[in-house]
Amino acid sequence: MATLPGIANNPDIRFLGKLLGDVIRNYGGEALYERTELIRAASVDRHKGGETDLGLDALSLDDTLDFVRGFMLFSMLANLAEDRQGVAAEPGADMAAALDRLGREGIDKTQVMALLDQALIAPVLTAHPTEVRRKSMIDHRNRIAALMRLRDAGETETADGDDVEEAILRQIALLWQTRVLRRERLYVTDEVEIALSYLRDVFLPALPALYQRWDRALGTRVPSFLRPGSWIGGDRDGNPFVTADSLKTALAKASEAVLGYYLDAVHALGGELSISTNLAPADDAVIALAEASGDTAESRSDEPYRRALSGIYARLAATHLALTGKPAPRPGLLHGDRYADPQAFRADLVTIARALRDGGGGALSSGGALGRLIRAVETFGFHLATLDLRQNSAVHERVVAELLKVAGVEADYLALGESQRVTLLRHELSNARPLASSFAEYSDETKSELAILRAAAQAHATYGPACIVQHVVSMAQSVSDLLELNILLKEAGLYRPGAEPEAAIMAVPLFETIGDLEAAPGIMAEWFALPEVRSITARRGYQEVMIGYSDSNKDGGYLTSTWSLSKASTALKGVFASAGVGMQLFHGRGGAVGRGGGSAFAAIRAQPPGTVQGRIRITEQGEVIAGKYGTRDSAITNLEAMTAATLLASLEPDALSAADTQRFAAAMDTLSASAFEAYRALVYGTEGFRTFFRQMTPIAEISGLKIGSRPASRTKSDRIEDLRAIPWVFSWAQARVMLPGWFGVGQAITDFADKGLLREMAQGWPFFAATLANMEQVIAKSDMRIAARYAALVEDRALADAIFPRIEASWHRAHDGLLEVTGQSHLLAAHKALDASIRLRLPYIEPLNLLQIELIKRRRAGDQDERIGEGILLSINAIATALRNSG
């Protein structure tokens, strides 16, 4: 066994860990502090090869709760320390480095600008429930981060006069005394508020600042190509709580937030632009704005910029009232007409900016607050973030069937074959006659779907068409699935028939399972063959396709999912090229590797050549949102990495020759087939596996966490097929198995004869290198010794003894095969910072796992002490925090 290098604890971890120890001693008592230290030291010793007893049996239930909170807070502070030290930052993952690399390959800034002119990069926030921490905990963490930045700068006092280190200690003490668990399950409105806090507090100020950096790097003003999106309030696939009302709430709150930001910015500009005509001439256009403002105050008679901004503020306040139904938070004395759209607001700001640019040699034209505000308006409009709609194709199918039946068009639509459905639906789309009648009775499902789409149409009229652009169709398996959505859009006036049909909202198919991914190119070819679709896509210029990482993994395992996604992307590229349509792929990634997680920079760069095309959307889910966008600095780092990767993936020449591409693809086909067979045999072909899974992992206990509005399963059955991918991955992570991130790969490597070819692929093929790197991280976080303790929870010992050894043996094959292919002596040998980060946490996670197992035993044996349930949920929270991207 290789000797592992020592772990260099970074100074921030030592500093914050010491303060946490002081807090535990002061608020929990000396006895708790001493017990915590003994367990910590014993666990560290065990991870160095010792056999020290951890002494967990000596903990009372109350002590257990305090101990788990302490270890959870240490992990939270360690995460913060590492984020500050740039552990997650990757070399070359910024615009300057990407431009330099492209320049060395003969790709100049003109070509980069040509790409950015038609580019779209969109992180899309979703409410998928893997963020186990309350927002209050995250807020305290962010305050500590801000205080640590002051400490870095050598400041000893805050702006309010507090001692910086005492203020940090105070925030840690508040963390210690803040309730970790939510008492009530989250509602959709709660999820909207959480997402809004990131969009308002981080994205709004961060993106304009980031654009300024890019303007400097490229020597010109770049287009506003990076814009955030959201699913929260519009994603109703399997979530009965998302309704027309929640959609309206999400849109209204977002608009209120962005308009409030603009009002504050315009008010601040009014204070800044104190230019007097006694000292500088004013542009005629600015004078016209000033005269139209209604600001006749004598004190500002020689200050046209301030008067113009007074008028702009009045119009913006009127817009705020019209769009939100509420007066502006800081009502002005003037009155103005509302802005018809963000472009009209921007035009007034640009008038001021041009006048500043043209005077005094352009000294006032360097951007500044006005430039950032103009950029914000371009990026966020009056809607803040584009809100996607999503629904399962089976729901659309039922709703359309009911509409057709009640309208007397088709009595049994569900009995029709695909070609018959397509013919009927195209006929209905060719005329403007609606199907729904206000005099007819419909099911609640149909009424709900129609209400949501009508709310979307109203949103377009209120906030502008950029507020909702896409409607994702989950489990899309045919052309009729997409046509059915257009039928429903037509009912709301969002699809307009005619010689050149128009669709105000784009139907986006989501291909999720392995079979769906294989069928995707054929479905899209049939879709583009329809004349009305050709007309719509020609007008828009592109078509989006979403590919799902989570369900494809649950369906076929890690390696087959990853390879199927890559192959589908490549095949779709050819279909889109033949149709003359721009391709925009939407990657449905989760936080865990089993759901497409891992480095976004590496993942985007590893996309098949020609599939990115400067346009990419990526879901950001659960705990990943707080980790990547919890602070302005981390958001800028991650958004720039996404942008740099998109430029490189779109413009860099293919790293592989045609011959190597063919050789490597053939090898991947063989590996995938072997891994798929092994995975399916275990998960879907093993008698009793679903019982084993549900008893070995804390899947039942996870359902007690108040972490999302969406049910854990699509149906009431206990089948793996019906379980959502999120709890599937999350529960395996808690049990330290991480099965969705590696199972089957070891068998595939063992069965593959030419190990030299695999080593060549690992060295020279970005796709294979990224696939192995993500798996390596997962294996490093898993622990079969601890997993065996969870396997002991299975009531049927014969069942456990039949299944767990198969999992354990497969893990060892994956571990050993990975090292053989990568040529490393131990896991993460080539990633020292990540290696240190993971191994630093392991001694803190093991006691949490062991305590969780004991608490689960007691609860399942019938002990109803409330502290046991609380302890289980606390341990789930603590383990997830320590493992980081575990959901």
Side-chain angles (χ1 to χ4, degrees), residues 728-772:
W728 166 254
V729 172
F730 196 40
S731 54
W732 283 119
Q734 287 285 314
R736 302 293 298 285
V737 181
M738 312 281 193
L739 183 140
W742 56 265
F743 192 88
V745 182
Q747 189 65 53
I749 293 174
T750 299
D751 292 346
F752 197 85
D754 190 350
K755 301 298 193 293
L757 175 56
L758 297 184
R759 286 190 286 271
E760 187 181 348
M761 291 161 60
Q763 289 296 315
W765 191 13
F767 164 79
F768 196 55
T771 299
L772 293 180

Side-chain angles (χ1 to χ4, degrees), residues 137-159:
M137 303 287 289
I138 297 170
D139 288 342
H140 287 305
R141 172 205 181 276
N142 291 345
R143 292 185 193 110
I144 293 169
L147 291 165
M148 290 293 284
R149 284 195 295 273
L150 287 178
R151 185 172 179 267
D152 291 342
E155 300 289 344
T156 58
E157 287 187 358
T158 68

Side-chain angles (χ1 to χ4, degrees), residues 129 185 237-241 551 554 693-694 698-705 707-731:
R185 180 171 291 279
D237 180 16
N239 191 343
F241 307 110
D551 282 289
K554 186 162 69 73
F693 159 68
R694 290 186 176 278
I699 178 68
E701 289 74 18
I702 286 171
S703 66
L705 279 171
I707 59 176
S709 65
R710 184 186 304 273
S713 186
R714 289 185 171 90
T715 70
K716 294 182 178 180
S717 85
D718 66 349
R719 299 193 322 148
I720 304 298
E721 294 90 334
D722 295 326
L723 181 68
R724 292 194 174 278
I726 297 158
W728 166 254
V729 172
F730 196 40
S731 54

Side-chain angles (χ1 to χ4, degrees), residues 516-566:
D516 291 346
L517 289 168
E518 291 171 348
I523 292 171
M524 295 312 297
E526 292 177 30
W527 179 244
F528 291 137
L530 302 179
E532 56 270 43
V533 171
R534 283 200 300 272
S535 175
I536 291 168
T537 53
R539 182 186 298 269
R540 185 180 292 116
Y542 70 95
Q543 167 70 44
E544 180 171 287
V545 171
M546 185 173 185
I547 50 178
Y549 289 66
S550 302
D551 282 289
S552 61
N553 179 291
K554 186 162 69 73
D555 183 36
Y558 174 62
L559 197 65
T560 300
S561 168
T562 305
W563 181 230
S564 296
L565 288 159
S566 180

Side-chain angles (χ1 to χ4, degrees), residues 462-646:
T462 303
Y463 309 108
C467 70
I468 302 173
V469 176
Q470 289 94 352
H471 189 307
V472 178
V473 181
S474 300
M475 299 302 291
Q477 297 173 332
S478 64
V479 167
S480 65
D481 287 338
L482 302 179
L483 292 173
E484 286 160 2
L485 172 58
N486 279 336
I487 289 286
L488 299 179
L489 291 173
K490 192 186 80 164
E491 293 297 309
L494 293 167
Y495 180 101
R496 295 182 180 275
E500 294 186 359
E502 297 179 37
I505 293 178
M506 174 171 43
V508 176
L510 168 51
F511 300 111
E512 300 179 79
T513 66
I514 302 300
D516 291 346
L517 289 168
E518 291 171 348
I523 292 171
M524 295 312 297
E526 292 177 30
W527 179 244
F528 291 137
L530 302 179
E532 56 270 43
V533 171
R534 283 200 300 272
S535 175
I536 291 168
T537 53
R539 182 186 298 269
R540 185 180 292 116
Y542 70 95
Q543 167 70 44
E544 180 171 287
V545 171
M546 185 173 185
I547 50 178
Y549 289 66
S550 302
D551 282 289
S552 61
N553 179 291
K554 186 162 69 73
D555 183 36
Y558 174 62
L559 197 65
T560 300
S561 168
T562 305
W563 181 230
S564 296
L565 288 159
S566 180
K567 288 174 67 176
S569 300
T570 300
L572 285 167
K573 178 185 69 171
V575 170
F576 276 68
S578 296
V581 177
M583 182 170 74
Q584 179 171 296
L585 289 181
F586 185 9
H587 297 262
R589 288 161 51 94
V593 167
R595 296 181 49 241
S599 163
F601 181 71
I604 294 171
R605 292 196 65 196
Q607 292 303 306
T611 61
V612 177
Q613 302 177 11
R615 302 188 70 90
I616 189 168
R617 297 206 306 149
I618 299 176
T619 55
E620 302 284 26
Q621 305 180 2
E623 79 282 1
V624 171
I625 296 175
K628 292 175 69 172
Y629 307 112
T631 66
R632 179 180 178 275
D633 290 343
S634 63
I636 285 176
T637 296
N638 285 287
L639 291 170
E640 185 152 34
M642 187 183 297
T643 301
T646 301

